[in-house]
Amino acid sequence: MTEKSPSSVNQAEELQNQLNEAFKELVEIRNTRQSISDPNGLEAAERAILKATDKIAALMTALKIRQAIE
């Protein structure tokens, strides 16, 4: 069994913190009532959602890679 270095623990913790913040952003998007009155408004809402979910996916992948390395 390999020992976790303080650096790897810090990296995993930082990824967890970033994930928590990204989830908060997604909840904020979900809870914010947005007036969509034209295609541009719909596109902007979709871009915000995709940006937030892509960020979560990237952070989760990074965390899983970090955990696999450990």
Side-chain angles (χ1 to χ4, degrees):
M1 187 171 152
T2 61
E3 234 180 88
K4 293 181 184 179
S5 72
S7 174
S8 67
V9 171
N10 288 341
Q11 288 175 352
E13 285 178 13
E14 179 59 28
L15 287 168
Q16 289 282 14
N17 291 337
Q18 290 177 16
L19 259 171
N20 289 337
E21 288 302 313
F23 281 124
K24 287 178 187 176
E25 290 172 22
L26 194 58
V27 167
E28 186 175 321
I29 290 169
R30 182 191 67 192
N31 291 335
T32 300
R33 189 166 209 83
Q34 189 172 5
S35 176
I36 299 173
S37 57
D38 60 21
N40 290 334
L42 178 58
E43 188 177 337
E46 184 179 19
R47 271 195 314 271
I49 294 164
L50 289 172
K51 182 180 176 184
T53 57
D54 285 350
K55 184 177 182 178
I56 289 170
L59 288 167
M60 289 183 95
T61 300
L63 180 61
K64 291 302 172 185
I65 291 169
R66 170 54 45 203
Q67 290 170 339
I69 291 170
E70 292 173 359

